[in-house]
Amino acid sequence: MNEIKSPRPLRKKRLGNVKACDSLSSRLDQVDANRSAVHAACEGIISVNAKQQIVMVNPAALQMFSYAEAQVIGQDLQRLIPPEQRAHHAEMVRAFLVSDQSEQAITDQDGLLGLRANGDVFPISLILSKSHSMVERGQAKPLFTALVRDLSVEQGLRSELAGIKNQFRRLFELAPVAMLITEEEIIVFANRSCLGLLGAKSLDQVIGKPVYHLIHSDSHAVMNQQIKRAVGVAAGSLCTMTEKVTRMDGSHRLVEIAIATMPGLEKSTVQMVLSDVTLQEQESLELQQSRHELRRLSASLIDTREEERRRIARELHDELGQRLSALKMDLSEVGAELHGRASQTRVVSMLDMLDATMASVRHIAADLRPLMLDDLGLYAAIEWLAREFERRMGLKVTVRLGHDEPQMDPRTSTALYRMVQESLTNVARHAHATAVEIDLGVEGKELVLTVQDNGVGFAAKALRKEGSFGLLGMRERALLLEGQMQADNTLFGGRIRVRLPLPRQLPRSQLQMPTMPWEQAPEEQPAFAANADASKEML
């Protein structure tokens, strides 16, 4: 009887085959997934077998080497390498195969080149890796994959960047303005202009030195503060300072230093631009001194002119007035003696002419300098001036003065009177106004004078008009008294506003006009002054 064999061993064998097939299928699926990823990669990927034959290449690599897939699959990898580098490449591959490394990078520093289909050579870098993903007759075979990068564009960019850096450095080096760069407050770069400013003969005298070594010791704290400020603000923002630098010969120069951090670099990298302003500072000081001297000269001329006006006004009032008064008295006596005669008419006519002459003398003397400015004060003089202007020009003049006239020295009162006088003259000549308002009073610690009209206002750049010195003279008077004058237009017309510092309490001696040479003692006056008291009543 035949023995029946059990089917269990056959069943186990079938189950083993099924598991092997599933495992193989899973690995094949993984290979397909990897292949899809490889084809989508932007970098060139080439896989070779143990014989260095190309078994897989992605589109990026095909485009890089200018080949079609059918032209390279199954071909030796040496086809993509220039002949002069094939031995070197084979040596690197053999060394990699026998090493324990699973991955090795070959960079552009190794000088590796690739060969395109048209024969062009270009620089490349490789990353070699070992794997066992290749399946041949159901078995996994060794597979070597290279990640290839085309460095021609990158090297071109590097070369272009190096050229730009070189141009920038030459521009920096040849700049007519002194420049230096510091890192951690140590000078790492200085251009030729900087060496010239510092009096250095070589870079060794500057490079590697602390920046404070160049700055005068009195300016170290300010420099440190400005550097910290520049580091704390946005890149490119400027912090400026004007300080003295010490040259190599020990002399000093005044420089303006602009400090800023370099964009894109560490905050500790600071750029400084140094401008020598020594000459400009000297010229500025000389200009200020010249202006000061001119202002003093102007003040002296104004004072001299006012004194001359006062002297002439006094002489017109006293000397010429006295003579005219005496002449009128004599003519009156002659007229009385000729009563009833025909010649008396001529004497009357002469007296009328004499009265007109005396009125003209009074008018001229008042225009030169009203005696009431010295005798009664500024407020009374302004009131009189306004009434005279109103009578002559037919304009309505409103005067508003403070309750109490502030104490002021003669120079201040004279300046304010002259500014009111010039303002009214300007209104009469140019404003075409029908009304004027004059305000003078104290605001805080200032004397404020405002002259407002309802005319056409001031023309543009009235203070700069060629040949016009009225407003310019007013401004100069205000500046001489450490004040300011402003001429502008309002909704109603032109306006002049003057602000002067309120004078401090003055001794009585300074509140009186100085005695002029012609104001002599009575016993030293000329003989014709004997009739002065009587003639003043008539004048």
Side-chain angles (χ1 to χ4, degrees):
M1 187 171 179
N2 294 332
E3 185 180 352
I4 300 174
K5 295 181 180 180
S6 174
R8 185 173 294 176
L10 179 61
R11 187 178 301 169
K12 289 182 178 180
K13 183 176 182 181
R14 288 178 179 176
L15 289 175
N17 292 336
V18 170
K19 289 181 180 180
C21 288
D22 289 342
S23 176
L24 183 60
S25 176
S26 177
R27 295 187 65 180
L28 289 174
D29 291 340
Q30 185 179 359
V31 170
D32 290 338
N34 291 339
R35 184 169 298 174
S36 297
V38 166
H39 278 70
C42 297
E43 301 288 351
I45 299 177
I46 302 174
S47 295
V48 298
N49 57 21
K51 298 178 180 180
Q52 295 295 298
Q53 292 174 337
I54 299 173
V55 296
M56 191 276 295
V57 59
N58 72 340
L62 293 173
Q63 183 179 4
M64 185 186 302
F65 288 91
S66 303
Y67 279 104
E69 185 174 10
Q71 294 178 296
V72 293
I73 294 297
Q75 300 295 319
D76 195 291
L77 183 61
Q78 298 289 334
R79 183 172 186 176
L80 304 180
I81 301 172
E84 64 273 14
Q85 284 207 341
R86 289 172 183 171
H88 174 59
H89 176 264
E91 181 63 29
M92 287 192 297
V93 171
R94 281 194 296 270
F96 174 63
L97 292 177
V98 299
S99 69
D100 296 334
Q101 297 178 348
S102 61
E103 187 174 283
Q104 180 181 350
I106 303 176
T107 64
D108 56 341
Q109 296 179 354
D110 298 312
L112 194 61
L113 300 175
L115 180 64
R116 302 188 201 276
N118 59 3
D120 291 342
V121 176
F122 63 100
I124 60 174
S125 67
L126 297 176
I127 298 179
L128 301 178
S129 61
K130 302 174 183 178
S131 64
H132 296 81
S133 300
M134 183 178 178
V135 179
E136 184 177 328
R137 296 179 182 179
Q139 296 183 355
K141 298 293 184 179
L143 187 67
F144 306 97
T145 302
L147 180 66
V148 187
R149 290 182 57 199
D150 185 352
L151 300 180
S152 56
V153 176
E154 183 177 332
Q155 287 191 353
L157 291 175
R158 288 182 182 178
S159 177
E160 185 177 353
L161 181 60
I164 293 174
K165 286 183 177 179
N166 192 32
Q167 291 179 2
F168 178 75
R169 189 176 185 87
R170 286 202 301 268
L171 179 65
F172 208 95
E173 180 69 28
L174 300 176
V177 180
M179 299 181 184
L180 59 85
I181 297 176
T182 66
E183 290 183 1
E184 300 291 346
E185 301 178 356
I186 301 298
I187 300 173
V188 296
F189 177 83
N191 65 353
R192 295 180 184 178
S193 298
C194 185
L195 296 182
L197 174 62
L198 300 175
K201 295 181 180 180
S202 66
L203 287 172
D204 296 337
Q205 295 177 276
V206 178
I207 301 299
K209 301 291 194 304
V211 68
Y212 300 105
H213 182 73
L214 308 178
I215 306 299
H216 192 270
S217 58
D218 296 341
S219 305
H220 286 183
V222 179
M223 169 68 78
N224 184 47
Q225 180 182 3
Q226 291 297 329
I227 290 178
K228 289 181 178 179
R229 182 182 173 191
V231 170
V233 299
S237 300
L238 290 178
C239 297
T240 59
M241 56 183 286
T242 301
E243 300 294 336
K244 289 187 293 185
V245 299
T246 304
R247 289 168 53 88
M248 295 301 167
D249 58 3
S251 61
H252 298 100
R253 303 291 290 180
L254 190 67
V255 298
E256 182 182 74
I257 307 174
I259 306 172
T261 55
M262 299 286 285
L265 299 178
E266 295 293 333
K267 280 286 189 176
S268 59
T269 303
V270 176
Q271 176 185 1
M272 299 184 185
V273 178
L274 293 75
S275 302
D276 190 348
V277 295
T278 306
L279 182 59
Q280 293 91 317
E281 187 69 17
Q282 291 176 352
E283 291 175 348
S284 177
L285 291 175
E286 291 175 359
L287 181 60
Q288 291 180 8
Q289 181 66 22
S290 176
R291 287 178 177 174
H292 179 67
E293 292 175 355
L294 286 174
R295 195 147 285 158
R296 289 178 55 194
L297 176 60
S298 177
S300 176
L301 292 175
I302 289 175
D303 290 343
T304 302
R305 184 174 61 182
E306 288 296 335
E307 291 178 3
E308 187 70 10
R309 283 182 169 186
R310 181 171 176 267
R311 181 185 68 81
I312 295 174
R314 285 288 183 186
E315 288 184 356
L316 286 175
H317 183 273
D318 295 342
E319 183 176 343
L320 185 57
Q322 292 167 10
R323 291 178 182 272
L324 291 175
S325 297
L327 180 59
K328 183 175 181 179
M329 293 172 61
D330 292 342
L331 280 176
S332 297
E333 292 178 1
V334 172
E337 294 175 358
L338 296 177
H339 182 69
R341 299 182 183 180
S343 56
Q344 185 182 14
T345 304
R346 295 181 59 190
V347 173
V348 172
S349 176
M350 293 173 65
L351 286 172
D352 292 339
M353 185 179 298
L354 189 58
D355 287 338
T357 302
M358 294 173 68
S360 179
V361 168
R362 285 197 302 271
H363 174 68
I364 294 173
D367 280 347
L368 285 171
R369 183 179 177 87
L371 298 181
M372 67 178 64
L373 181 60
D374 302 326
D375 300 335
L376 302 179
L378 176 63
Y379 280 12
I382 290 179
E383 287 279 6
W384 173 83
L385 180 63
R387 300 288 77 82
E388 283 292 307
F389 181 81
E390 193 174 46
R391 180 181 62 81
R392 293 182 197 174
M393 306 306 300
L395 302 181
K396 179 178 176 56
V397 182
T398 303
V399 179
R400 288 187 289 269
L401 304 173
H403 297 293
D404 298 322
E405 182 171 342
Q407 190 182 49
M408 63 188 78
D409 57 88
R411 176 179 289 180
T412 302
S413 60
T414 300
L416 286 170
Y417 177 83
R418 292 302 182 195
M419 284 189 273
V420 172
Q421 188 179 43
E422 181 59 37
S423 298
L424 293 176
T425 301
N426 189 70
V427 169
R429 290 179 179 177
H430 310 293
H432 304 292
T434 59
V436 186
E437 295 181 358
I438 302 173
D439 292 272
L440 177 60
V442 177
E443 292 183 7
K445 296 184 179 181
E446 291 182 325
L447 278 170
V448 181
L449 168 65
T450 303
V451 181
Q452 170 81 57
D453 64 70
N454 64 347
V456 298
F458 293 102
K461 299 182 180 180
L463 287 172
R464 304 294 183 183
K465 185 178 179 181
E466 185 70 24
S468 178
F469 299 103
L471 294 177
L472 191 61
M474 293 174 62
R475 186 180 67 177
E476 192 64 24
R477 284 180 182 270
L479 290 174
L480 289 173
L481 296 173
E482 300 181 356
Q484 56 182 350
M485 188 277 288
Q486 180 182 5
D488 57 10
N489 297 321
T490 67
L491 295 176
F492 308 101
R495 179 180 64 181
I496 291 176
R497 176 165 291 176
V498 179
R499 293 183 176 273
L500 302 178
L502 195 63
R504 66 183 189 278
Q505 193 75 14
L506 298 174
R508 184 176 298 274
S509 59
Q510 294 189 29
L511 295 175
Q512 300 174 351
M513 290 296 292
T515 302
M516 299 297 133
W518 55 86
E519 296 177 339
Q520 303 169 0
E523 61 272 11
E524 298 176 355
Q525 291 181 352
F528 65 82
N531 298 326
D533 294 337
S535 59
K536 281 182 180 179
E537 295 297 328
M538 299 184 65
L539 189 59

